[in-house]
Each structure stands twice: as C-alpha cells, then as structure tokens.
Amino acid sequence: RAYQALRESEELHRATLGNISDAVFLTDDGGRFTFVCPNVDVIFGYVPDEVQAMGTLGQFLGEDLFDADELTAAGEIRNLEREIVSKSGQGRVVLITLRRVAIQGGTVLCTCRDVTERKQAERELAGARLELAHAARLALVGEMTASIVHDVQQPLTSIQANAAAGLLMAAGPEASGLRDVFRDIQGASRDAAAIVDRLRALVRKRPLELRPTDVNGVASDVLQLVQPHATRRRVTLHAELARSLPTVDADPVGLQQVILNLIVNALES
C-alpha cells in the first residue's frame, strides 16, 4: 500500500509538472542540472535533453543569476527577471524564483514563468499614460494660452492708442526724438498684437479655409512666434527660405501648426 501510494503521488506530480506553464529545474551547488521538467519547451522551445546537454543553469539562463551565499542565508530569492532568447530566436522575459532544497542530489529549485506578454502590456499601459498626460498638458496649455491672449490683448490695444495719441501731441518740429520713441512703441505693440493674433488662431477650433497663401510668410510668422521659446532653450533658429515662391491655395493656420509642430519637436529633441 505504501508503494502504491508513492507511485500514485509520483504520477500526480509528474502530471502536474507536465501541464503547468512554468518551467522547473533542479541543480546541484555547481549549477549542473539534476532535473529538467518535461514542458520546458513551452517557454524556451528546447526539449529536456537539449537543456541537459547545455550542462548548467548559468549556461542556460545566463551567468551571475544569483549569489549562492545569499540564497543559502535567505532560503529563497524571488522575482528575478531575465531576458532570454528561445530556440526559435524569439525574445522572452522570464520571472525566476530560486529556493534551497535537498531533493535527490539537487540543492537549488529554479522556477521560470513567462511574463513577456505582461511586460509588453505594462509598457503599452505606461505609453498610454504618457500620451494621456501629454494630452492633458496640451489641453492645459490651450486653456492658458486662451486666457493669456485675452489678458494681453487689452493692454496692447491701450499701448497702441496711447502711442498714436502721443504722436499727434508731439507734432511739433522740436519733438522729433519723442516721435521716434512713440513710433517704436507703436511698432512693438503691433508686433505683439500680431503674435497674440497668431496664438488665437492656433488655439481656436476652426474649419479648413483654403486661400492664396505665401508659404514663406507663414514660415516667417511661425519663426517669430517660437523665437522666445528657442532663446530660452539656447537654440539658434536659422531660416533658409527659397525666394520668389508662387502663392498656393492652402490653409495658413494649418500650415502654421505643421511648421510649429516640427520646430517644437526639434527643440524638445
């Protein structure tokens, strides 16, 4: 009866080892295999005899897998990750658990679990989180830009009006220097207002509007818009624009967005 019970127990363990997805190995202190589970091919693609022929666990999974003294002291080492290449040449990621045992000459029990799909899912989830965070930042920047455009437009209008009034008041011949100052104020305010107008056009949702467009003019507008951003990053922008280009039927704001994306991506990279 004891013999029958032992035989049935061995058959149960053999059937269990043959049907689980994990790969199980036994080695001695030198790392030489004393047992290789029959289903090792599920993860690695090798049959047990091919694994045995490799000689040691280090040759199979890579050297410096664990510290023998650490394993002896702790009794178990869990969650070791190792990237391996299967027999077919496919890259896999395995999660390894090691235990100190004493089973028929084997002193180290090694269990390998294939976590390739889980790691891929984790990478995809991390990428999706980054994309969501980026989208949230873009939405926030859009909201901030709209607010900035609204807040800046009013003082710019006031600057333009005051500069124009000052030019009228300084009409006398003795005030030529004062007129130059007011002209500079007026010109700078027009430039700032133009930048605000371009920002407003970029952040506003609008349908495509095709009209005769000067491509060089669009590129120059974008360069003026992004110049402060480039200066803060200590990047020099240099334009080489082909002259005498004909106008094209295009959406100027859409082209601005394309060029702006290219420049900002280059700055960030």
Side-chain angles (χ1 to χ4, degrees), residues 166-167 170 172-185:
L167 284 172
E174 70 283 354
S176 60
L178 188 59
R179 286 197 298 273
D180 290 339
V181 171
F182 279 117
R183 286 193 184 97
D184 288 343
I185 294 173

Short mmCIF file of all heavy atoms in Angstrom, two decimals, residues 166-167 170 172-185:
data_model
loop_
_atom_site.label_atom_id
_atom_site.label_comp_id
_atom_site.label_asym_id
_atom_site.label_seq_id
_atom_site.Cartn_x
_atom_site.Cartn_y
_atom_site.Cartn_z
N GLY A 166 0.15 110.08 -28.55
CA GLY A 166 1.42 110.75 -28.30
C GLY A 166 2.03 111.29 -29.56
O GLY A 166 2.62 112.39 -29.57
N LEU A 167 1.92 110.54 -30.68
CA LEU A 167 2.43 111.03 -31.95
C LEU A 167 1.72 112.31 -32.38
O LEU A 167 2.33 113.24 -32.92
CB LEU A 167 2.28 109.94 -33.02
CG LEU A 167 3.29 108.79 -32.96
CD1 LEU A 167 2.90 107.70 -33.95
CD2 LEU A 167 4.69 109.29 -33.28
N ALA A 170 2.93 115.17 -30.19
CA ALA A 170 4.32 115.53 -30.45
C ALA A 170 4.52 115.93 -31.90
O ALA A 170 5.48 115.54 -32.56
CB ALA A 170 5.25 114.37 -30.09
N GLY A 172 5.07 118.87 -33.11
CA GLY A 172 5.98 119.98 -33.32
C GLY A 172 7.35 119.54 -33.79
O GLY A 172 7.78 118.41 -33.53
N PRO A 173 8.04 120.41 -34.53
CA PRO A 173 9.37 120.03 -35.08
C PRO A 173 10.41 119.76 -34.00
O PRO A 173 11.36 119.02 -34.22
CB PRO A 173 9.75 121.26 -35.92
CG PRO A 173 8.96 122.40 -35.35
CD PRO A 173 7.68 121.79 -34.88
N GLU A 174 10.24 120.36 -32.81
CA GLU A 174 11.24 120.18 -31.75
C GLU A 174 11.11 118.83 -31.04
O GLU A 174 11.92 118.49 -30.19
CB GLU A 174 11.12 121.31 -30.71
CG GLU A 174 9.88 121.26 -29.85
CD GLU A 174 8.63 121.74 -30.57
OE1 GLU A 174 8.77 122.23 -31.71
OE2 GLU A 174 7.53 121.63 -29.99
N ALA A 175 10.06 118.09 -31.36
CA ALA A 175 9.82 116.83 -30.65
C ALA A 175 10.08 115.62 -31.55
O ALA A 175 9.41 114.59 -31.43
CB ALA A 175 8.38 116.81 -30.13
N SER A 176 11.05 115.73 -32.46
CA SER A 176 11.32 114.61 -33.38
C SER A 176 11.79 113.36 -32.63
O SER A 176 11.41 112.23 -32.96
CB SER A 176 12.38 115.03 -34.41
OG SER A 176 13.59 115.39 -33.74
N GLY A 177 12.62 113.52 -31.59
CA GLY A 177 13.07 112.36 -30.81
C GLY A 177 11.93 111.68 -30.11
O GLY A 177 11.86 110.44 -30.05
N LEU A 178 10.99 112.49 -29.59
CA LEU A 178 9.83 111.92 -28.92
C LEU A 178 8.96 111.14 -29.90
O LEU A 178 8.42 110.09 -29.57
CB LEU A 178 9.02 113.05 -28.27
CG LEU A 178 7.85 112.64 -27.37
CD1 LEU A 178 8.35 111.76 -26.22
CD2 LEU A 178 7.13 113.88 -26.83
N ARG A 179 8.85 111.69 -31.13
CA ARG A 179 8.06 110.98 -32.15
C ARG A 179 8.68 109.61 -32.45
O ARG A 179 7.97 108.62 -32.65
CB ARG A 179 7.96 111.83 -33.41
CG ARG A 179 7.00 113.02 -33.28
CD ARG A 179 6.62 113.58 -34.64
NE ARG A 179 7.80 114.08 -35.38
CZ ARG A 179 8.28 115.32 -35.26
NH1 ARG A 179 7.71 116.18 -34.43
NH2 ARG A 179 9.32 115.69 -35.97
N ASP A 180 10.01 109.55 -32.53
CA ASP A 180 10.67 108.25 -32.79
C ASP A 180 10.36 107.24 -31.69
O ASP A 180 10.14 106.05 -31.96
CB ASP A 180 12.18 108.47 -32.89
CG ASP A 180 12.58 109.22 -34.15
OD1 ASP A 180 11.77 109.23 -35.10
OD2 ASP A 180 13.69 109.79 -34.16
N VAL A 181 10.35 107.72 -30.44
CA VAL A 181 10.04 106.83 -29.33
C VAL A 181 8.63 106.28 -29.46
O VAL A 181 8.37 105.08 -29.31
CB VAL A 181 10.21 107.56 -27.98
CG1 VAL A 181 9.68 106.70 -26.83
CG2 VAL A 181 11.67 107.91 -27.74
N PHE A 182 7.69 107.16 -29.76
CA PHE A 182 6.30 106.71 -29.91
C PHE A 182 6.13 105.76 -31.09
O PHE A 182 5.35 104.82 -31.04
CB PHE A 182 5.37 107.92 -30.05
CG PHE A 182 5.01 108.57 -28.74
CD1 PHE A 182 5.37 109.88 -28.46
CD2 PHE A 182 4.31 107.86 -27.78
CE1 PHE A 182 5.04 110.47 -27.25
CE2 PHE A 182 3.98 108.44 -26.57
CZ PHE A 182 4.35 109.75 -26.30
N ARG A 183 6.89 106.02 -32.17
CA ARG A 183 6.81 105.12 -33.33
C ARG A 183 7.34 103.72 -32.94
O ARG A 183 6.79 102.71 -33.37
CB ARG A 183 7.61 105.68 -34.49
CG ARG A 183 6.94 106.86 -35.18
CD ARG A 183 7.63 107.17 -36.50
NE ARG A 183 7.04 108.35 -37.12
CZ ARG A 183 7.54 109.58 -37.01
NH1 ARG A 183 8.66 109.77 -36.30
NH2 ARG A 183 6.95 110.60 -37.59
N ASP A 184 8.40 103.69 -32.15
CA ASP A 184 8.92 102.39 -31.69
C ASP A 184 7.88 101.66 -30.83
O ASP A 184 7.69 100.45 -30.96
CB ASP A 184 10.21 102.59 -30.89
CG ASP A 184 11.38 102.98 -31.77
OD1 ASP A 184 11.28 102.77 -33.00
OD2 ASP A 184 12.38 103.49 -31.22
N ILE A 185 7.23 102.42 -29.92
CA ILE A 185 6.19 101.82 -29.09
C ILE A 185 5.07 101.27 -29.95
O ILE A 185 4.58 100.15 -29.76
CB ILE A 185 5.65 102.85 -28.08
CG1 ILE A 185 6.73 103.22 -27.07
CG2 ILE A 185 4.42 102.29 -27.35
CD1 ILE A 185 6.34 104.36 -26.14
#
